[in-house]
Amino acid sequence: MRNMKRILGYVLMLAALAVPVSAQPIEPPRPPEPPPLPQAPPQAPAGDASAQRVTIPFSDPSRPGTVEMDIVMGNITIKGTSRRDVLVEARTGTGFVPRPPRRRTDDEPPPPGLRRLTQNGGFSVEEDKNTVSIDVGPPRHIDFTIEVPLRTNLNIETVMGSIVVEGVEGELEVESVNGSVTLTNVGGSVVAHTVNGKLTATIARPAPQQPMAFTSMNGSVDVTLPAAVKANLKLRSDQGDVYTDFDLQLRRESSNPNPNPDVDARRNGRARVIDVDNAIYGSVNGGGPDFEMRTFNGNVYVRKGK
Amino acid sequence: MEHEKLGRLLPDGVEQREADELDATWRMLGAIDAPAPDSERMRARLDAVIDAVEQTQAPARPREVRTYVLQGLAAAAVLVIGISIGWYARPGGSAFGGTRPPSDTSSVSEIAAMRSEMHDLREMVSLSLMQQQSASERIKGVTWTGQLDRPSGEIVTALLDALMHDPNVNVRLATIDALERFASRDDVRRGTIDAVQRQASPLVQIALIDFMVKTNERESVATLRQLAMDPQVNDAVRARAAWGLQQLG
């Protein structure tokens, strides 16, 4: 009897695991997809002489796609729009970077009777499995302005440059080393970091149950969250102060229950407790996923949005 | 609503918390992306099947709807069954005045087996979250390890691996918090000391120095001294390392 129950239990557990899996592939039959469009060739710059535009579609525009890029020099601006594909506009930057020895402007017309074979603009755009990847070859300064569908995941990094994201909803991963990071009116989940810049974020629609993190080494962290947001905040500034207008329920421990952090401090026979962790833990509106806001040199601001 | 239904189905004196945790586990499992079957051959085969079905059966719609309803019902039924197993498996009501004491050793071992299975399941969820493409999901996986009673070595290894190799600074920062409870393990001591030298991010280096001080990690003294002397290292990190040496000295 007992054995039977146990076996039954195993079987049911397996069944429970199997259901979501088996339910996955049965989707309403879709019309066969058109073959992926060939990548649009770089269009002749319209109006702006130094800008180059490329549009590239997602292979499955019905699902949120991902845009990823990791560049060394240049600013990146990304805007959520009603379009279904991705428009990449690139401008070779001015200043900041030593010019390449052989001076060549990208909009230079080909000599008479010849056509240019090299890719325009020194960057490439590719799409694979609903991910658009933007690559810049050898480091050169290029500023990007990219228009994406409203719901798009981002994975964006630059070393020498700032990042601006406006009105995009999705999993947003943004990192700069020597520039500021500014996120305006975004939704979903944000994981952002800058080493030497200021980090500013206004979150309009946080994804439920998704942790977020906003960190900087040498800049302030300034985050505006919806007034009704449910979250557990972990706030910390080593050299600065932490400010908020949220009604913060302070807690001693993080949501990550740490049964006894001081046990190990005593393990050498010396009962010595050093309070290093000067982080402030608190929950707003009853608590929710963990949001970490942290900087070393600078202040942390957590503001209540409208 | 779900709870009321379950309340009617199940014996008294059962604990709400356990059910909620299970519920959360199922939801986490649901959140994990199933690998998308995007091979072209599968696509072609599926299209062929769909074509064949469409040709032979004229009114396809009601069938679809029925399939969905059946799927929904099956999922709901399995969820209910899963939760009842969880409830059934909790040790004989010890927390709530013992309405259902374990009757014999076999039921005790059965419960233990169920528990360990639940534990494995949670570990599995944490580990697979840590493998996700999204940094937010990986942070979730890292913090979830904090809810495991006795995490296996596999979890600790995964955390150390994330500390060393995760491309996202914020994920690496989160692993340092999660590793604190394992600070007495040899591999964690070695791993964190190794990491403090190799980290590219000064914020993570400082968090690791704080970790050494907090856990009174004397083995780190040589490494901290090196950091404090190295002119290539970020000034704030060097200052922090010097402070750490003072604290540990």
Side-chain angles (χ1 to χ4, degrees):
Chain A
M1 178 59 195
R2 285 280 168 200
N3 264 344
M4 290 264 291
K5 268 189 187 167
R6 183 191 293 179
I7 289 164
L8 186 70
Y10 285 140
V11 168
L12 288 174
M13 276 216 170
L14 274 177
L17 287 173
V19 162
V21 174
S22 61
Q24 200 73 15
I26 308 168
E27 279 175 40
R30 273 183 298 184
E33 269 171 43
L37 295 171
Q39 180 182 331
Q43 290 157 8
D48 190 339
S50 66
Q52 299 180 16
R53 294 194 181 78
V54 178
T55 53
I56 190 163
F58 284 115
S59 39
D60 181 3
S62 62
R63 284 187 302 133
T66 302
V67 173
E68 59 177 33
M69 61 192 299
D70 183 354
I71 65 170
V72 178
M73 285 177 273
N75 303 310
I76 304 171
T77 302
I78 299 183
K79 290 178 185 152
T81 65
S82 56
R83 61 189 308 138
R84 288 164 70 80
D85 54 2
V86 176
L87 167 68
V88 181
E89 197 178 287
R91 276 185 187 79
T92 42
T94 48
F96 217 107
V97 180
R99 286 256 163 205
R102 197 172 59 82
R103 223 186 122 103
R104 181 183 75 89
T105 50
D106 290 312
D107 50 328
E108 187 180 310
L114 301 181
R115 66 201 149 81
R116 181 159 62 199
L117 297 176
T118 43
Q119 252 260 357
N120 239 347
F123 69 98
S124 68
V125 184
E126 277 173 24
E127 200 272 354
D128 184 36
K129 298 195 178 78
N130 238 25
T131 297
V132 169
S133 311
I134 301 165
D135 279 306
V136 174
R140 55 190 298 186
H141 188 111
I142 302 180
D143 291 332
F144 287 94
T145 304
I146 300 166
E147 293 185 9
V148 299
L150 222 61
R151 289 176 174 277
T152 303
N153 303 321
L154 302 179
N155 192 343
I156 309 292
E157 280 180 46
T158 177
V159 179
M160 313 287 263
S162 296
I163 301 177
V164 174
V165 178
E166 285 173 17
V168 182
E169 185 163 350
E171 287 164 350
L172 311 179
E173 293 169 33
V174 179
E175 189 172 331
S176 168
V177 176
N178 289 315
S180 62
V181 169
T182 310
L183 311 167
T184 316
N185 189 27
V186 296
S189 63
V190 175
V191 177
H193 176 72
T194 162
V195 179
N196 292 317
K198 182 175 161 56
L199 199 167
T200 314
T202 308
I203 317 292
R205 292 168 303 278
Q209 301 305 321
Q210 285 302 117
M212 301 203 205
F214 308 83
T215 55
S216 171
M217 176 75 194
N218 289 317
S220 62
V221 171
D222 189 331
V223 181
T224 305
L225 298 168
V229 71
K230 289 177 172 297
N232 293 333
L233 304 183
K234 180 184 177 189
L235 311 169
R236 174 169 182 163
S237 167
D238 286 277
Q239 313 270 321
D241 292 303
V242 177
Y243 299 95
T244 186
D245 56 350
F246 270 105
D247 188 10
L248 201 63
Q249 292 297 116
L250 291 180
R251 292 174 306 144
R252 280 198 62 91
E253 286 292 329
S254 72
S255 70
N256 182 4
N258 191 345
N260 199 347
D262 300 322
V263 152
D264 294 303
R266 293 198 193 89
R267 107 186 102 83
N268 295 340
R270 293 171 59 188
R272 178 157 181 249
V273 179
I274 303 158
D275 187 20
V276 183
D277 192 358
N278 57 4
I280 298 164
Y281 298 97
S283 58
V284 291
N285 296 314
D290 291 341
F291 291 2
E292 175 163 19
M293 288 132 196
R294 173 173 186 161
T295 175
F296 187 78
N297 278 321
N299 292 337
V300 172
Y301 305 90
V302 186
R303 300 174 200 268
K304 208 190 273 187
K306 274 141 250 153
Chain B
M1 192 200 86
E2 199 87 61
H3 288 140
E4 284 173 30
K5 214 162 42 184
L6 285 164
R8 267 184 269 124
L9 282 171
L10 289 154
D12 299 330
V14 286
E15 217 179 320
Q16 191 75 36
R17 188 181 57 87
E18 192 113 16
D20 289 342
E21 276 176 15
L22 249 162
D23 201 31
T25 309
W26 293 126
R27 232 174 285 142
M28 292 286 224
L29 277 172
I32 299 168
D33 287 341
D38 44 13
S39 115
E40 298 214 334
R41 263 177 55 210
M42 274 185 74
R43 178 86 243 170
R45 233 161 51 199
L46 183 63
D47 286 343
V49 172
I50 289 164
D51 285 345
V53 170
E54 275 175 349
Q55 274 165 20
T56 50
Q57 300 190 332
R61 239 188 102 73
R63 228 187 108 85
E64 270 167 43
V65 173
R66 212 166 56 215
T67 322
Y68 276 116
V69 170
L70 279 177
Q71 268 176 29
L73 283 178
V78 167
L79 182 72
V80 169
I81 289 161
I83 292 174
S84 15
I85 291 171
W87 246 330
Y88 174 75
R90 56 178 281 283
S94 52
F96 261 79
T99 50
R100 198 169 51 82
S103 48
D104 55 7
T105 47
S106 87
S107 94
V108 171
S109 70
E110 193 176 322
I111 286 162
M114 289 290 194
R115 292 232 139 201
S116 92
E117 227 161 275
M118 269 314 296
H119 184 261
D120 290 352
L121 195 63
R122 285 206 190 109
E123 282 212 356
M124 200 182 77
V125 171
S126 285
L127 287 171
S128 66
L129 282 171
M130 275 191 256
Q131 299 301 318
Q132 294 290 303
Q133 189 131 42
S134 137
S136 174
E137 295 286 352
R138 297 203 297 280
I139 292 176
K140 194 193 272 182
V142 168
T143 39
W144 239 58
T145 62
Q147 294 175 21
L148 300 169
D149 295 337
R150 277 180 307 284
S152 66
E154 208 181 336
I155 289 276
V156 178
T157 309
L159 287 172
L160 284 171
D161 187 58
L163 173 63
M164 270 313 201
H165 302 120
D166 197 289
N168 192 289
V169 173
N170 292 319
V171 176
R172 299 205 295 274
L173 273 177
T175 60
I176 299 172
D177 290 339
L179 280 168
E180 217 170 87
R181 54 196 285 231
F182 309 113
S184 55
R185 286 176 58 120
D186 276 343
D187 51 351
V188 174
R189 284 215 300 269
R190 276 197 309 273
T192 47
I193 292 173
D194 200 18
V196 76
Q197 289 171 296
R198 295 216 255 151
Q199 277 297 323
S201 157
L203 202 59
V204 177
Q205 284 182 304
I206 286 172
L208 279 166
I209 295 169
D210 288 358
F211 178 95
M212 309 294 171
V213 173
K214 212 166 166 182
T215 58
N216 202 17
E217 185 44 75
R218 289 156 168 287
E219 283 168 45
S220 69
V221 165
T223 308
L224 293 188
R225 191 165 290 137
Q226 247 173 29
L227 272 183
M229 310 280 256
D230 187 347
Q232 308 250 308
V233 170
N234 178 298
D235 286 346
V237 175
R238 293 177 62 185
R240 197 69 156 202
W243 169 83
L245 282 171
Q246 250 177 21
Q247 299 297 314
L248 291 172

